[in-house]
Amino acid sequence: MLILLPPSESKTERRRGRPVDPLALSFPSLSQTRRDVAEAVAKVSAHPDAATTLGVSHNLTAEIARNLALGSAPAAPASRVYSGVLYDALDYASLGPGAKRRANRWLVVVSALYGAVRPTDLIAPYRLSMAVNLPGVGPLASAWKPELERVLPDVAGRGVVVDCRSSTYAAAWVPRGPLAERWVQVRVPGATHQAKHTRGLVARRLCELGRDARRVPDLPTFLRDAFTVELHEPARPGGPWVLDAAAR
């Protein structure tokens, strides 16, 4: 199974520790694009108009400044760097040993800076959205799309792709061909802020259950003890299944 998560806008810093070791990150074939994006965002972040280019509030100068120290800032596991509503609900640190092993295999965070990382990858805090058109790189979703197409299908293997990403990050990789038949987007009807919380709970529950789904129609059976769920078939050929979920 492959469970795709978005990153969080909020990120937790670590005061001490070694910086990122690019060679130790998962998906080493992404290294060159990671370097290109890191260099480009550092250059942009040094300019007075960085907030405008990055599409963030001008009050976030401290967060933008993180982009100037990506190679020297203390690194921490992605499961700790990413915080906020979804990651609070996932609560990776409290998972039992078996669930945590599965989370380390199944969870992949799609990142504007790193492309894709696993919970155990040591990364630096940063401020960058996949929606940014980054000078020197271009639209980040377009830049990452061919790179992620090379690595993520193999991660899915024969299992289901459970997509908990927002639309901004979903644009960076779309399952295609036979894999699209095993692709399901988690939707939370009528919710905005609550949607992130529910997706985090769904990811956690799947890791706890440990049942590696091979067919999308199996998922509702797995989740009905903790969620009200309704599965919808793809609206078009090659499109995703949609799983409406609400926590009980």
Side-chain angles (χ1 to χ4, degrees):
M1 186 185 296
L2 170 59
I3 304 174
L4 296 170
L5 301 179
S8 59
E9 290 187 359
S10 57
K11 299 178 181 69
T12 302
E13 289 185 282
R14 189 175 185 176
R15 294 187 177 276
R16 297 179 181 178
R18 295 182 178 180
V20 174
D21 178 358
L23 299 179
L25 294 174
S26 300
F27 315 114
S29 65
L30 303 180
S31 294
Q32 183 59 57
T33 304
R34 287 168 173 160
R35 283 195 294 270
D36 293 344
V37 173
E39 290 173 3
V41 75
K43 185 175 181 180
V44 164
S45 299
H47 290 179
D49 61 349
T52 300
T53 304
L54 297 176
V56 301
S57 168
H58 287 76
N59 296 326
L60 297 178
T61 53
E63 294 191 22
I64 294 171
R66 292 173 175 174
N67 296 338
L68 302 176
L70 296 173
S72 59
S79 61
R80 290 174 53 190
V81 171
Y82 295 122
S83 53
V85 177
L86 187 151
Y87 289 90
D88 287 346
L90 173 63
D91 198 5
Y92 173 90
S94 73
L95 289 171
K100 193 168 287 185
R101 285 193 296 270
R102 288 186 287 273
N104 293 340
R105 295 197 312 270
W106 293 352
L107 299 182
V108 171
V109 182
V110 174
S111 161
L113 177 62
Y114 294 104
V117 293
R118 298 187 186 275
T120 54
D121 283 325
L122 300 180
I123 64 172
Y126 61 93
R127 187 72 192 208
L128 184 65
S129 166
M130 193 67 81
V132 170
N133 186 343
L134 188 64
V137 175
L140 287 172
S142 298
W144 281 116
K145 187 174 290 186
E147 304 298 314
L148 297 182
E149 179 62 39
R150 288 191 290 109
V151 299
L152 292 183
D154 288 341
V155 180
R158 294 181 295 169
V160 168
V161 178
V162 180
D163 198 341
C164 296
R165 297 174 296 171
S166 61
S167 58
T168 299
Y169 287 86
W173 179 60
V174 175
R176 300 187 185 281
L179 186 57
E181 298 173 7
R182 293 181 274 124
W183 173 32
V184 57
Q185 290 182 334
V186 178
R187 184 173 67 181
V188 183
T192 52
H193 183 79
Q194 188 67 19
K196 296 179 181 179
H197 180 78
T198 301
R199 289 174 181 140
L201 292 177
V202 167
R204 178 183 178 90
R205 187 60 180 154
L206 290 172
C207 292
E208 289 176 328
L209 289 172
R211 300 172 68 181
D212 191 357
R214 300 299 175 89
R215 300 172 58 253
V216 173
D218 294 335
L219 281 178
T221 303
F222 296 174
L223 295 170
R224 280 200 177 104
D225 65 327
F227 302 87
T228 300
V229 293
E230 184 175 355
L231 184 64
H232 306 277
E233 294 188 0
R236 63 186 187 283
W241 295 73
V242 175
L243 182 72
D244 287 337
R248 292 186 183 278

